[in-house]
Amino acid sequence: AQSVAQPEDQVNVAEGNPLTVKCTYSVSGNPYLFWYVQYPNRGLQFLLKYITGDNLVKGSYGFEAEFNKSQTSFHLKKPSALVSDSALYFCAVDDYKLSFGAGTTVTVRA
Amino acid sequence: GAVVSQHPSRVICKSGTSVKIECRSLDFQATTMFWYRQFPKQSLMLMATSNEGSKATYEQGVEKDKFLINHASLTLSTLTVTSAHPEDSSFYICSAPRKTERRLANYGYTFGSGTRLTVV
């Protein structure tokens, strides 16, 4: 079965600093990986996806993620975090249905 | 872009009653709808997959008689929580794949805004 893991429950950064949210995957074959963000009592908003092609994927709101096959990782990054980036972030793998990581709560302090 | 409209956004019901949650795809045909349950600050757990015109497929451990899913049209899927109990209180989210072919640029999943169910 395909799965993703988010090793950090929480990430705290100061506004303006780089933000990284970690994700590792375990799949057979080519992975189809997604990042979503969730604000309180809301559904999930799509940030970006990796299907094939360039290992560096650029997404919404200034986020990007790097697909690393040797490390089986798909970390989400943002060069300069904003307070409004504070939310719950999910990594997911698609095996004709999405399986989500446990989620990482990001808090950006002013 | 593709939109899935989910209603109601929040509902409070008495124990023993039934609650229906609707998810409508507004600008695309959702032949498949995924239903998730989410506990506070936790991940989304897939409950079931509904396909238009056929019976839903439930994940292991999910009571199909309690969580009734109907997908009668290409734009509407419903989840009914029957004889609700306080332990059914949760956040329920639906999701529909926009395209099933991964090579297509707009391949991905669209999520409803979620329903906060509180059973008292």
Side-chain angles (χ1 to χ4, degrees):
Chain A
Q2 305 200 28
S3 64
V4 290
Q6 294 179 243
E8 299 165 318
D9 291 337
Q10 197 149 5
V11 170
N12 299 309
V13 297
E15 188 172 36
N17 281 2
L19 169 63
T20 298
V21 187
K22 295 180 180 177
C23 173
T24 58
Y25 64 87
S26 174
V27 302
S28 56
N30 296 321
Y32 300 90
L33 299 165
F34 292 77
W35 273 104
Y36 289 89
V37 60
Q38 184 181 33
Y39 297 95
N41 291 310
R42 301 292 299 274
L44 273 65
Q45 295 180 29
F46 170 79
L47 287 178
L48 51 80
K49 66 185 178 190
Y50 173 82
I51 305 298
T52 186
D54 291 339
N55 290 340
L56 185 64
V57 180
K58 292 189 181 298
S60 306
Y61 314 118
F63 284 94
E64 59 187 30
E66 185 171 9
F67 174 71
N68 188 315
K69 190 172 182 178
S70 63
Q71 298 184 5
T72 63
S73 66
F74 188 57
H75 301 333
L76 181 71
K77 299 181 180 182
K78 186 169 184 179
S80 179
L82 302 172
V83 172
S84 57
D85 293 328
S86 298
L88 183 56
Y89 290 78
F90 289 103
C91 180
V93 61
D94 177 34
D95 188 16
Y96 294 102
K97 58 184 177 181
L98 286 176
S99 295
F100 291 89
T104 299
T105 299
V106 170
T107 303
V108 182
R109 59 185 185 277
Chain B
V3 175
V4 172
S5 176
Q6 183 171 350
H7 293 279
S9 58
R10 58 181 65 228
V11 57
I12 301 173
C13 70
K14 291 185 177 180
S15 188
T17 61
S18 295
V19 173
K20 180 184 283 189
I21 301 169
E22 291 188 351
C23 280
R24 294 180 183 271
S25 56
L26 298 187
D27 50 1
F28 69 105
Q29 293 183 333
T31 55
T32 299
M33 190 73 74
F34 298 102
W35 287 93
Y36 295 87
R37 181 173 182 175
Q38 185 182 27
F39 292 102
K41 296 189 177 181
Q42 293 190 25
S43 190
L44 281 74
M45 302 303 298
L46 181 64
M47 298 174 64
T49 303
S50 71
N51 292 291
E52 186 267 336
S54 63
K55 289 184 177 180
T57 302
Y58 290 81
E59 297 298 304
Q60 191 171 7
V62 177
E63 298 177 62
K64 60 182 179 181
D65 293 332
K66 179 166 197 54
F67 299 100
L68 299 179
I69 290 174
N70 184 278
H71 196 148
S73 77
L74 288 171
T75 58
L76 175 64
S77 177
T78 61
L79 166 66
T80 301
V81 183
T82 63
S83 187
H85 288 97
E87 56 265 31
D88 299 325
S89 298
S90 192
F91 194 59
Y92 294 88
I93 306 176
C94 60
S95 173
R98 294 193 297 278
K99 294 290 182 182
T100 56
E101 297 154 56
R102 293 166 174 168
R103 62 183 174 82
L104 297 179
N106 58 346
Y107 159 76
Y109 297 81
T110 299
F111 286 81
S113 54
T115 298
R116 170 72 60 195
L117 170 63
T118 303
V119 184
V120 297

